[in-house]
Amino acid sequence: MKQQVTLGVIVGNRGFFPSHLAKSGRATMLKVLEEEGIRAIALSEEATENGSIFTLSDSHKCADLFRAHRDEIDGILVTLPNFGEESAIANALRFAELDVPVLIQAFPDDPQKMDIQNRRDSFCGKMSCCNNLTQYGIKFSLTRSHTVDPESQEFREDLQWFAGVCRVVNGLRHARFGMLGARPVAFNTVRYSEKLLERSGITVGTMDLSEAFGQIDRLADSDAAVQEKTAAIHAYAKTDRVPADAIAKIAKLGVVMDNWMRENEYVATAVQCWTSMEEYFGVVPCTIMSMLSDKLLPSACETDIVGTTAMYAMALASGKPSALLDWNNNYGSDPDKAVVFHCSNLPRSVFVDEIPVMDYQEIIAGSVGKDNTWGTIYGRMRPEPFTYLRVSTDDFAGKVKAYVGQGHFTNDPIDTFGGFGVVQVPNFQKLLAYICDNGFEHHVAANMSQVAPVISEAFGKYLGWDVYHHQ
């Protein structure tokens, strides 16, 4: 998963405005980008006047540079050290044909420097730039403040927010997900439209459980890859209670999934985790799914591919692992709290304990027997802020929809099993009503970060999805 972002940089200029502001503004912006760990691709000072653009020729030079780096550029930053030539900026973006997120930033004026040699007028120029981009049909994002000093903490936060938007948009537009097994019969809730996801650039490939089991049968316990995976499993979780034959099965499943994902370039998966897996193979896949998610290769339960989409989007935004949970229980009479739960395949880095416990799956054990359900990961989620996200496909309206928001995991007492936590969500009853009224699933993805604004911008503005940002 790519985390460093590369931005194409356009420095606006206007012929009858102070050109020295473009020169100094360019230098300041490039310095800030470097300090924030963002790679910049920009015209040199020799290519155009001070590396800025304001003529048609400048626009072509900028577009040519961006096209030459098409496979590297994740987004474009337009910086306005003075008013800027709005048509030159719009032309450069049109000619480049990159279709990536665009951020517009304008330098603030100093009230003590409003003479003809030093006034910027970027405040006004930003409106003209945005007006032209709107006419050209080019989507763009804005800084929180209309004008903002590039060296300020506020802009640095805006920059990191925009970098997250770029990762989410570009990551999802080229994502390949694998679905292992058929949808469990009892889970109509996780039906989805492959075609709607494909329209957004998300490809889904499938493999039948019989293929996976057949490949597992061909693996010997002594196989080097199996031995390596076995060691990784023992290092990942406390396995003292788990029979050796169950560990061997889990390891072989892990090897088969690794090979399948590598061969098909899958960046995330969803698995038919019950009950065929337990009845005909004799373990649950939760440990392998947990290990994948912990490596930022999300794996969702019950073949919930749109749950995988949400998990992957937040991993792109934050660089942290995502979990898939059920909105599962009320927490007493507190209207803003709930118990979230899965049985579980949660990534270990979300837990309070550094090394979680591997155990058997208590729910399914009642129907298939304890000895066929080893491999779940138990633990409580850490008490800290988190983002929740649900993606769904609305086949009747022909669109992808989502809701996103932020809350906190709490320290409230709870005694249960699996992977779990107590959450507090502002105006939670309003959110629950929205979920039910709009036919969303009971699954929700969670990420130990605060990236709801990133997701909302990426989904709504650039992917064209319907997104409700719960506040």
Side-chain angles (χ1 to χ4, degrees):
M1 178 181 292
K2 179 181 178 182
Q3 284 300 309
Q4 187 184 38
V5 165
T6 297
L7 297 182
V9 179
I10 295 177
V11 181
N13 196 3
R14 202 158 181 127
F16 48 85
F17 275 79
S19 187
H20 72 88
L21 295 176
K23 180 181 177 69
S24 61
R26 175 184 179 277
T28 298
M29 184 59 74
L30 293 180
K31 177 177 74 73
V32 169
L33 289 171
E34 183 178 7
E35 290 170 353
E36 292 301 306
I38 295 173
R39 180 175 171 237
I41 293 175
L43 288 168
S44 68
E45 291 188 356
E46 294 72 37
T48 61
E49 183 178 343
N50 297 317
S52 64
I53 68 170
F54 60 91
T55 68
L56 184 61
S57 175
D58 294 342
S59 297
H60 279 297
K61 289 179 180 178
C62 182
D64 289 346
L65 174 67
F66 288 174
R67 281 199 302 273
H69 294 273
R70 177 183 301 277
D71 294 338
E72 304 163 55
I73 293 176
D74 302 297
I76 294 175
L77 170 63
V78 176
T79 179
L80 299 173
N82 63 28
F83 190 99
E85 183 64 51
E86 61 268 29
S87 60
I89 294 167
N91 283 333
L93 290 170
R94 173 177 280 179
F95 298 158
E97 298 181 308
L98 295 189
D99 192 26
V100 294
V102 176
L103 179 65
I104 313 297
Q105 177 271 341
F107 277 68
D109 264 309
D110 183 344
Q112 306 304 315
K113 296 181 179 179
M114 294 293 285
D115 56 290
I116 194 65
Q117 287 80 28
N118 293 290
R119 61 184 291 163
R120 297 182 183 276
D121 289 5
S122 308
F123 187 101
C124 185
K126 182 173 180 178
M127 298 178 198
S128 294
C129 177
C130 294
N131 173 276
N132 274 250
L133 296 188
T134 300
Q135 291 186 46
Y136 279 52
I138 296 171
K139 298 172 184 175
F140 56 88
S141 297
L142 301 172
T143 55
R144 283 171 293 175
S145 297
H146 187 66
T147 58
V148 60
D149 181 351
E151 296 188 276
S152 68
Q153 182 60 32
E154 179 183 337
F155 178 71
R156 292 174 190 272
E157 292 171 0
D158 287 342
L159 203 52
Q160 293 301 333
W161 164 80
F162 182 66
V165 171
C166 292
R167 288 193 297 269
V168 172
V169 171
N170 297 311
L172 287 179
R173 279 178 174 169
H174 303 93
R176 293 177 56 81
F177 298 157
M179 190 173 88
L180 178 58
R183 173 181 58 81
V185 173
F187 276 79
N188 286 349
T189 49
V190 297
R191 288 172 171 170
Y192 71 99
S193 169
E194 280 191 47
K195 293 179 180 179
L196 288 177
L197 293 182
E198 191 71 70
R199 186 173 293 177
S200 293
I202 300 169
T203 296
V204 180
T206 63
M207 181 165 73
D208 193 80
L209 282 179
S210 64
E211 290 184 67
F213 296 161
Q215 292 177 33
I216 288 169
D217 282 343
R218 296 172 184 170
L219 290 172
D221 290 353
S222 59
D223 186 287
V226 175
Q227 291 295 308
E228 183 179 346
K229 184 64 71 174
T230 300
I233 289 169
H234 286 304
Y236 185 80
K238 297 174 183 176
T239 58
D240 300 348
R241 299 186 58 200
V242 185
D245 64 333
I247 295 290
K249 289 181 179 180
I250 294 168
K252 290 178 181 179
L253 174 64
V255 171
V256 168
M257 286 190 67
D258 286 348
N259 292 338
W260 173 57
M261 293 178 68
R262 182 174 58 254
E263 291 167 4
N264 293 281
E265 299 180 6
Y266 295 145
V267 295
T269 57
V271 179
Q272 200 265 65
C273 48
W274 60 343
T275 58
S276 294
M277 183 76 69
E278 295 73 33
E279 291 187 64
Y280 302 108
F281 184 52
V283 293
V284 294
C286 304
T287 295
I288 296 303
M289 297 168 71
S290 173
M291 294 170 74
L292 287 169
S293 292
D294 211 52
K295 293 190 294 185
L296 303 184
L297 299 168
S299 191
C301 313
E302 289 120 13
T303 63
D304 185 3
I305 282 288
V306 277
T308 298
T309 304
M311 294 172 73
Y312 189 60
M314 288 196 292
L316 287 166
S318 68
K320 296 180 178 181
S322 299
L324 191 71
L325 298 158
D326 287 354
W327 294 118
N328 213 72
N329 312 89
N330 60 288
Y331 188 77
S333 59
D334 192 320
D336 285 342
K337 289 183 181 179
V339 178
V340 291
F341 167 86
H342 244 207
C343 29
S344 88
N345 66 336
L346 274 59
R348 75 174 184 181
S349 56
V350 305
F351 291 130
V352 171
D353 296 328
E354 185 176 350
I355 306 296
V357 173
M358 188 192 300
D359 215 317
Y360 72 95
Q361 218 277 35
E362 294 188 47
I363 298 174
I364 306 176
S367 59
V368 302
K370 172 181 174 181
D371 289 338
N372 292 318
T373 63
W374 292 104
T376 58
I377 299 294
Y378 278 22
R380 176 168 186 157
M381 300 185 79
R382 297 194 310 272
E384 59 185 66
F386 79 106
T387 301
Y388 55 86
L389 171 63
R390 181 65 206 178
V391 175
S392 188
T393 56
D394 187 336
D395 297 42
F396 303 108
K399 63 185 180 183
V400 181
K401 62 182 182 180
Y403 68 81
V404 66
Q406 297 176 169
H408 283 78
F409 280 95
T410 75
N411 273 318
D412 291 302
I414 188 77
D415 183 16
T416 186
F417 60 95
F420 62 92
V422 177
V423 297
Q424 184 171 30
V425 176
N427 300 312
F428 191 39
Q429 296 303 307
K430 178 183 177 183
L431 174 64
L432 292 171
Y434 183 86
I435 291 169
C436 293
D437 283 340
N438 290 277
F440 279 99
E441 300 80 356
H442 64 289
H443 285 172
V444 65
N447 191 283
M448 298 300 208
S449 64
Q450 301 274 267
V451 292
V454 171
I455 298 296
S456 180
E457 183 83 355
F459 282 13
K461 182 163 288 181
Y462 295 106
L463 295 177
W465 296 355
D466 285 0
V467 56
Y468 166 61
H469 186 173
H470 181 70
Q471 305 282 356

